[in-house]
Amino acid sequence: MPCFAEGHGALPAVTQVESRHRRQPLRTRGRIAVQALPLLLLAGITLLDLRTGEWFRIVSWIVLVPGTAAAVCGVWTTAGYAVLSLITYVAVDRVWPDEHRAGLADFLLVALGGALATLASAARVRRERQMLHMRDIADTTRRTVLRKLPAYWGGLEHAGAYIAADVDARVGGDYYDIQPGPHGTRVLVGDVQGKGLGAVETAAALLGTFREAAYHETELTVVAERLETRMTRHRLHRIALGRDDGDRFSTAVLLGFPEDDPDTVELINFGHEPPLAVGPHGVRALPAGDGLPLGLADLVAGCPPLHRVPLGREETLLLVTDGVTEARDKAGEFYPLVPEVARAVTADPRRAEPHRLVRRVRDGVLRHTAGHLDDDTTVFAIRRMREDPVQGRLRS
């Protein structure tokens, strides 16, 4: 199953793991029946050995008990099962006459099996701790890149869902953010080419530049130029370090919500999927990616053009990465994003609300792919608030 990271709205946390569980890897989190499995195995072997004749002695099978415990229990529990297995072996074997006893050889087998099982349990627990530590690092990295946004940030109601295709990595190159400022609120949604920490580093670099430029720069075109320059500088830096990602680029959509024109949205599209305006009257696509992705401006003359598009107060902008548009089912069919959204909004106009819309698309993609995603997936929805009670305080 993929890994989820959600926020910015009323969406429920899907697979967030509480920190107290991360710090207790030896617990099976309520799976008492699993921990009791070695005990049941011990009881079964004991009863079977006592109820069968001397021609079917299986008391030495007790060596399976600590081996089973090593797979599901902690170190001390496994060691306890090893000791209990030895005691049980001696007690059961003494019930039989001398000529039918398993003897010292099988006793040493059970003792050695218990010792090895305890060592195996210690190695497994150590690996679990390392894995959980790496997941904590990945979660911290994700929270740094995809920072938590306040409710109704910058006069916008918003919701977002990020689904990492790699459950172990938990991070990828998808990114989004909202930055209010004295020249209006700006929004950036993008997808860095490739995966891994290199893509995460690139996304962090772009977001850092966006947060500064979107606040200070008057014109959205200047913000776009700053992003292009940052992408070029970052790529040259990586090349100088000998990293093999000199051709890395990023598709992105840069949006501006001017304060003096509440019925218009400014848009610069760097080769990204076009945003969808979703409202009670249906679904319409905003201008498509008529420019090259960030990092490829040297192939053309400058950044993509700026579009000013009418946007109704009741319309929500839906932005997705190619993890949504390229999601396939078992038959190879792509996820029908526009028809699914249009059908949902037609049935209930309230589904155009950001958190409902994101949940609908997220669940639809997971159903369509049966939970098997080939790429990181981001769903982000925003719309203007009619009133923003915290806007004045945030601007100050």
Side-chain angles (χ1 to χ4, degrees):
M1 286 293 293
C3 169
F4 302 82
E6 304 195 15
H8 324 316
L11 291 175
V14 179
T15 59
Q16 292 180 344
V17 182
E18 296 182 8
S19 60
R20 65 175 179 271
H21 291 311
R22 294 196 189 106
R23 293 180 176 85
Q24 297 177 7
L26 304 186
R27 292 180 57 185
T28 55
R29 301 174 189 176
R31 296 185 300 174
I32 300 177
V34 175
Q35 286 195 352
L37 180 60
L39 185 61
L40 295 176
L41 180 62
L42 178 64
I45 293 174
T46 301
L47 291 176
L48 188 59
D49 186 81
L50 293 175
R51 295 179 68 88
T52 55
E54 62 277 1
W55 51 270
F56 192 67
R57 296 296 317 282
I58 63 167
V59 67
S60 59
W61 290 15
I62 285 181
V63 72
L64 298 175
V65 173
T68 303
V72 296
C73 301
V75 179
W76 290 108
T77 304
T78 302
Y81 274 120
V83 174
L84 181 61
S85 298
L86 273 178
I87 295 175
T88 304
Y89 172 87
V90 173
V92 172
D93 202 37
R94 286 184 176 180
V95 172
W96 294 89
D98 291 343
E99 63 271 18
H100 298 306
R101 290 180 181 176
L104 179 61
D106 285 355
F107 174 84
L108 294 177
L109 173 65
V110 174
L112 179 60
L116 293 177
T118 303
L119 293 176
S121 178
R124 176 184 61 82
V125 169
R126 184 167 57 251
R127 287 195 301 269
E128 284 183 357
R129 286 174 174 167
Q130 292 173 346
M131 180 184 66
L132 292 173
H133 179 63
M134 293 303 297
R135 287 191 175 183
D136 282 343
I137 294 175
D139 287 339
T140 301
T141 303
R142 173 177 52 78
R143 288 193 297 269
T144 301
V145 175
L146 300 179
R147 63 177 180 175
K148 184 175 179 60
L149 298 176
Y152 313 128
W153 186 229
L156 300 177
E157 181 183 2
H158 51 84
Y162 169 77
I163 311 174
D166 188 344
V167 68
D168 294 322
R170 303 172 73 87
V171 291
D174 290 3
Y175 57 92
Y176 55 87
D177 202 2
I178 299 174
Q179 181 58 58
H183 310 294
T185 299
R186 275 73 182 264
V187 177
L188 179 66
V189 177
D191 180 7
V192 177
Q193 174 260 339
K195 294 182 175 67
L197 293 179
V200 176
E201 184 179 348
T202 302
L206 290 172
L207 285 173
T209 297
F210 166 74
R211 289 160 187 166
E212 290 298 316
Y215 182 88
H216 291 287
E217 301 297 343
T218 304
E219 301 296 331
L220 194 67
T221 53
V222 179
V223 179
E225 292 171 358
R226 293 275 301 275
L227 288 171
E228 179 62 43
T229 300
R230 185 68 180 95
M231 185 68 192
T232 302
R233 290 173 52 205
H234 179 76
R235 186 174 58 186
L236 292 175
H237 178 259
R238 299 277 295 181
I239 294 175
L241 291 175
R243 308 290 173 82
D244 188 21
D245 58 356
D247 59 346
R248 192 182 296 278
F249 58 85
S250 174
T251 63
V253 175
L254 180 61
L255 301 173
F257 292 84
E259 287 187 337
D260 56 356
D261 193 355
D263 297 320
T264 299
V265 62
E266 298 177 335
L267 166 68
I268 299 177
N269 195 326
F270 293 91
H272 198 77
E273 300 290 337
L276 300 177
V278 183
H281 303 295
V283 181
R284 60 186 176 93
L286 272 60
D290 44 12
L292 293 181
L294 290 166
L296 302 180
D298 54 343
L299 302 179
V300 295
C303 293
L306 172 69
H307 299 276
R308 290 182 173 87
V309 184
L311 184 68
R313 288 295 187 95
E314 73 283 358
E315 288 186 305
T316 297
L317 284 182
L318 175 64
L319 300 101
V320 301
T321 58
D322 55 9
V324 174
T325 56
E326 297 180 4
R328 297 172 181 259
D329 60 10
K330 293 182 178 180
E333 297 292 332
F334 290 107
Y335 173 67
L337 174 63
V338 175
E340 284 289 331
V341 172
R343 183 163 49 249
V345 174
T346 300
D348 184 0
R350 292 178 301 174
R351 289 176 178 166
E353 298 173 2
H355 69 280
R356 291 172 179 254
L357 188 58
V358 168
R359 182 185 294 115
R360 177 80 181 191
V361 175
R362 179 204 65 186
D363 294 346
V365 169
L366 291 176
R367 282 195 302 269
H368 187 77
T369 62
H372 301 290
L373 301 176
D374 296 326
D375 197 3
D376 298 329
T377 300
T378 294
V379 186
F380 192 62
I382 49 175
R383 73 175 177 184
R384 286 185 183 269
M385 293 292 298
R386 293 187 181 275
E387 295 181 1
D388 186 2
V390 299
Q391 181 68 10
R393 184 169 67 253
L394 293 173
R395 291 292 176 80
S396 63

